[in-house]
């Protein structure tokens, strides 16, 4: 699993190629200052499973989500309460 939760001062997340590639559950939540997430190829890709999830939630200043090829490929991605993120 890859979880970032309630980190009040975190502003940026950057993962390189293949980072946490087989994470079954990914969550980034309640980080009020987070502005950008950048994921290299196949980062947080997930595994073949109907229960493999990824969630971005309660990130009021997240404005940039950059995903290279393969990111979240096998996960069900949910985005909630990220008002500055253009879909």
């Amino acid at each position: 699993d890859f979880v970032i939760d309630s980190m009040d001062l975190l502003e940026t997340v950057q993962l390189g190629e293949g980072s946490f590639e087989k994470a079954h559950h990914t969550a980034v939540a309640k980080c009020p200052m987070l502005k950008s997430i950048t994921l290299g190829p196949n980062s947080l890709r997930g595994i073949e499973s109907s229960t493999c999830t990824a969630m971005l939630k309660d990130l009021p200043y997240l404005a940039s989500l950059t995903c290279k090829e393969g990111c979240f490929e096998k996960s069900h991605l949910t985005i909630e309460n990220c008002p500055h993120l253009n879909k």
Side-chain angles (χ1 to χ4, degrees):
D1 291 359
F2 178 80
V3 178
I4 296 176
D5 189 20
S6 301
M7 298 186 84
D8 294 341
L9 300 178
L10 182 68
E11 293 185 10
T12 303
V13 173
Q14 185 170 1
L15 299 177
E17 183 173 351
S19 297
F20 302 96
E21 180 176 3
K22 296 184 179 182
H24 185 263
H25 175 70
T26 297
V28 180
K30 301 177 190 168
C31 298
M33 301 304 291
L34 185 62
K35 297 174 185 164
S36 70
I37 298 174
T38 303
L39 304 175
N42 299 315
S43 295
L44 303 172
R45 186 176 189 179
I47 59 171
E48 289 289 340
S49 170
S50 62
T51 61
C52 188
T53 61
M55 176 175 282
L56 304 177
K57 183 176 180 180
D58 298 329
L59 306 169
Y61 290 104
L62 182 65
S64 173
L65 174 60
T66 304
C67 300
K68 302 292 183 180
E69 182 179 343
C71 295
F72 303 121
E73 182 176 331
K74 299 178 182 179
S75 298
H76 174 73
L77 177 62
T78 303
I79 300 174
E80 295 179 10
N81 195 22
C82 299
H84 292 284
L85 190 61
N86 293 323
K87 297 178 183 174

